[in-house]
Amino acid sequence: MRVAPLGVAKRGTAVGSSTTSTPGGRPMDIISRAKWGARAPRSRSTVSWSQRREFIVHYSEGPTTQSVRSIQDFHMDGRGWADIGYNFLVDVSGRIYEGRGWLVVGAHAPDHNTSGIGVCMIGRDGDSTAAAKRSIRWLYDEAVRRAGRNLAKLGHRDVYATSCPGNELYAWVRAGMPADVGDDDMPEYVSVGMGEAQDFPPNTWVTIDWGREYSDGGRHHGDGGGPSFVVGPARYAFTANVRVEGLAAGTELQARAIEHPESGGSAAAGPLAEYVASNGATFVHYNVAADTVPDGHRVRFQVMHFGAETARITSGTAKAFAWPT
C-alpha cells in the first residue's frame, strides 16, 4: 500500500508531536494529526473522563506498512465515518499516532465508543512487537493517570463479534497487558550519510550511495560504504533525507525504498512517496515506519525527478533500526 506523501520541508521546519509522560516519568511522544497529514473531521463530539471506563485494543488487519492517512481515508470514504475510527494508533516500531484523541467519541466499537478509548495496532495477527505492546501499555497508563482510576483492559472481541485484535495480541491483553514483554524492541542502529554529491538526471531512478558511516554495530552497511544500509532477514524502519539543487520550482519528484537481491535480478520496490520541488534547494524527507526485508536482500533508497535538466543531490543522511529475524 502506498505511503501518504510526507511533503517537502525546508530546513528548520517544525515537526508536530506532543509529549506527555507515564506515571513513572518516562516521556511519551504522540505524533500529531498535523504531522501525519490528517484530514479535518466532518464532525466530532466529546466526552468527559468520568464517561471513560474502558481501554479497547484493536488491530488494523492490514500490512504493517499501512499509513495512518490511508486508514483515515478508508474510514471516511469507504465507510462514511466522520473521521478515522480510533482514538490512537501504534505501529510495530512503537510510534504512537493521534487519531481522534483522548476525549473525542470514536467509531471503533459499537455501544462502546463513548465509554471506550480505542487503540489500534497497525498490522495483522502475529505482527505485534514488544515495542508496539509497550506503547499500547504506555497509552493505557496515561489514560489511567488522566482518568484518575483504572480502566477495563479489553480486546475488540470482548465487546463485538470479531476476531480483532488477533489471537496473539488478544492473549497479551487477556494477560493484563504486561509492560515487561522482552527485548525484541532493542534494534540494531544504522546511521549513514552521503560522502559526495551525485548527479540527478531526469526520469531515472538514482540510488543514493552512502559513503559515510556514523554507526553500524550490526554491520548492515557492509564495509563502510555503498548504497545498502539494512541487510535481511530483518524487520526494519528508516528515515532518509536528501538535499537536491538545480530543480525548477514545481518539478515533481518521487522517492522509494527498494529491497535489492544480493544474487542479482529485479529489486522489490517499497512504498512510493511524491514531492514537489521548492524554490532554491529542495529537501526530500522519506519514512518507512515498518517493513520486512527477506534473507539475501538489502535495503536501498532511490529518488527520481521529472524535470528537464540534470540536477544534483548534494547531501543526505539515512537512519535505520533493524531487528534481525
Side-chain angles (χ1 to χ4, degrees):
M1 181 172 293
R2 285 170 59 113
V3 168
L6 299 175
V8 178
K10 289 288 188 178
R11 185 167 300 184
T13 299
V15 299
S17 63
S18 61
T19 303
T20 58
S21 61
T22 59
R26 188 179 177 189
M28 178 172 68
D29 292 326
I30 298 175
I31 298 172
S32 70
R33 291 173 62 93
K35 178 64 187 302
W36 60 258
R39 296 161 57 178
R42 297 190 185 104
S43 63
R44 65 196 296 268
S45 58
T46 59
V47 299
S48 65
W49 277 109
S50 64
Q51 294 172 282
R52 294 298 204 192
R53 301 185 300 275
E54 302 154 332
F55 187 92
I56 303 173
V57 178
H58 302 255
Y59 70 166
S60 69
E61 204 174 6
T64 58
T65 54
Q66 280 181 296
S67 67
V68 180
R69 176 57 185 268
S70 73
I71 295 173
Q72 184 191 38
D73 287 343
F74 172 66
H75 286 180
M76 295 181 72
D77 300 333
R79 293 185 170 175
W81 296 349
D83 195 359
I84 194 167
Y86 308 110
N87 297 99
F88 295 96
L89 300 94
V90 172
D91 67 25
V92 294
S93 296
R95 297 182 183 91
I96 301 171
Y97 301 85
E98 179 187 19
R100 297 200 183 192
W102 292 113
L103 294 178
V104 178
V105 176
H108 57 90
D111 299 323
H112 292 266
N113 290 314
T114 297
S115 59
I117 297 170
V119 176
C120 175
M121 184 203 75
I122 302 173
R124 300 185 174 99
D125 192 17
D127 286 337
S128 67
T129 62
K133 291 172 183 173
R134 285 177 177 170
S135 291
I136 293 170
R137 179 57 194 250
W138 227 349
L139 285 166
Y140 175 81
D141 289 340
E142 179 64 12
V144 166
R145 185 186 71 82
R146 292 176 180 233
R149 66 188 186 287
N150 289 334
L151 305 179
K153 302 176 181 129
L154 302 173
H156 189 190
R157 66 176 69 175
D158 288 321
V159 298
Y160 191 74
T162 176
S163 61
C164 180
N167 293 333
E168 193 275 334
L169 190 57
Y170 182 65
W172 174 73
V173 174
R174 293 291 292 172
M177 299 197 306
D180 184 10
V181 288
D183 295 324
D184 72 347
D185 63 336
M186 297 301 294
E188 296 172 351
Y189 176 62
V190 185
S191 177
V192 294
M194 290 179 61
E196 57 186 33
Q198 293 181 235
D199 285 338
F200 192 18
N203 304 305
T204 302
W205 283 110
V206 173
T207 302
I208 302 300
D209 187 76
W210 308 107
R212 294 179 179 173
E213 181 179 292
Y214 305 114
S215 179
D216 184 25
R219 306 310 301 159
H220 288 276
H221 192 222
D223 295 322
S228 302
F229 54 89
V230 174
V231 177
R235 299 196 314 273
Y236 69 92
F238 82 91
T239 59
N241 298 276
V242 295
R243 174 180 175 136
V244 180
E245 297 184 3
L247 288 179
T251 300
E252 295 181 357
L253 303 90
Q254 293 182 341
R256 69 183 185 183
I258 63 167
E259 295 173 358
H260 183 77
E262 297 174 350
S263 59
S266 300
L272 184 71
E274 299 176 342
Y275 311 84
V276 177
S278 53
N279 289 313
T282 297
F283 295 87
V284 174
H285 173 76
Y286 181 86
N287 173 70
V288 170
D291 211 335
T292 302
V293 57
D295 190 19
H297 290 69
R298 296 171 178 262
V299 179
R300 298 177 177 180
F301 176 63
Q302 296 183 322
V303 290
M304 180 168 63
H305 76 86
F306 301 97
E309 305 292 336
T310 295
R312 293 279 282 175
I313 305 167
T314 57
S315 61
T317 59
K319 299 181 187 299
F321 294 98
W323 293 261
T325 58

